[in-house]
Amino acid sequence: MISKTLNSEEFIPYYSQYIDKTTDINIVQALQDNLQSVVKYFESVPIEKQGYAYAKNKWSIKDILLHLIDTERIFCYRALRITRNDKTPLVGFDQDEYVVHGKANNRTMDSLIEEYISVRNSTITLFSNIDSEAIKLMGEASGSKISVRAIGYIITGHENHHISIITERYL
């Protein structure tokens, strides 16, 4: 069981906004729980709201879902590299460019949800097979130190963060 017992050296303060939005259970369980709740949440978004953005230059709900997918892929890649003892510093990514070029509004919500499920199942498999030593490994991403277990909690907390924003500002 990989539980939420992070220390301040495992992530930079910026990520607290996501880690604080996770439950105090093991990472794999948090990922499984979010799979169900996130799918249900996005399935409930009315079709007329799916491409809606609450202000100019803000992402649509579809953009946000694809952002969650892209971010999860990138963070899992980071976790994989760190668990394989790859010491190469990993660069950041420009989330706004990813959203523009992802063209989520040209897709159906069903196709985005299907992709989310596929990525999440892969994430669950990855974290299910990380042992108690590898989960504690540290690497460097976006110029900062981060642990593999922090990455798992960031993934779920990041989703919870964006769902709160959608609920408050979009629906």
Side-chain angles (χ1 to χ4, degrees):
M1 180 167 129
I2 303 162
S3 64
K4 188 175 157 188
T5 54
L6 302 171
N7 63 59
S8 62
E9 289 81 43
E10 292 185 65
F11 60 94
I12 58 172
Y14 172 82
Y15 289 124
S16 292
Q17 68 179 317
Y18 305 131
I19 292 169
D20 292 347
K21 291 187 183 314
T22 63
T23 56
D24 197 17
I25 57 177
N26 75 64
I27 293 168
V28 173
Q29 187 63 54
L31 290 165
Q32 290 169 335
D33 291 348
N34 266 33
L35 171 59
Q36 303 305 317
S37 64
V38 170
V39 168
K40 185 176 179 180
Y41 185 84
F42 281 101
E43 285 176 340
S44 75
V45 173
I47 194 163
E48 65 274 6
K49 290 284 193 172
Q50 293 172 1
Y52 170 74
Y54 69 89
K56 187 178 180 185
N57 298 321
K58 294 296 181 182
W59 300 343
S60 72
I61 292 173
K62 286 182 178 180
D63 288 331
I64 293 170
L65 179 52
L66 187 55
H67 164 70
L68 296 175
I69 294 165
D70 288 347
T71 302
E72 184 162 335
R73 278 190 165 117
I74 291 164
F75 273 71
C76 282
Y77 176 70
R78 291 173 177 180
L80 175 67
R81 297 265 311 255
I82 295 166
T83 61
R84 300 309 191 255
N85 206 31
D86 186 338
K87 303 292 186 195
T88 308
L90 303 167
V91 297
F93 69 104
D94 184 339
Q95 64 184 10
D96 292 317
E97 286 296 316
Y98 273 59
V99 169
V100 168
H101 296 285
K103 301 178 183 176
N105 290 317
N106 295 341
R107 296 178 58 182
T108 66
M109 183 62 86
D110 286 343
S111 77
L112 291 165
I113 291 170
E114 180 183 352
E115 184 175 354
Y116 170 81
I117 292 168
S118 177
V119 169
R120 176 48 53 90
N121 283 329
S122 177
T123 301
I124 290 167
T125 301
L126 174 67
F127 276 88
S128 293
N129 290 292
I130 296 173
D131 67 32
S132 60
E133 293 303 313
I135 200 74
K136 298 174 192 172
L137 291 174
M138 299 287 296
E140 184 180 328
S142 300
S144 302
K145 295 291 182 192
I146 193 162
S147 73
V148 175
R149 63 181 169 180
I151 289 171
Y153 291 115
I154 290 166
I155 290 169
T156 59
H158 180 246
E159 289 176 335
N160 297 338
H161 165 79
H162 279 290
I163 285 175
S164 294
I165 290 172
I166 293 170
T167 302
E168 293 168 14
R169 299 180 188 169
Y170 290 76
L171 300 177

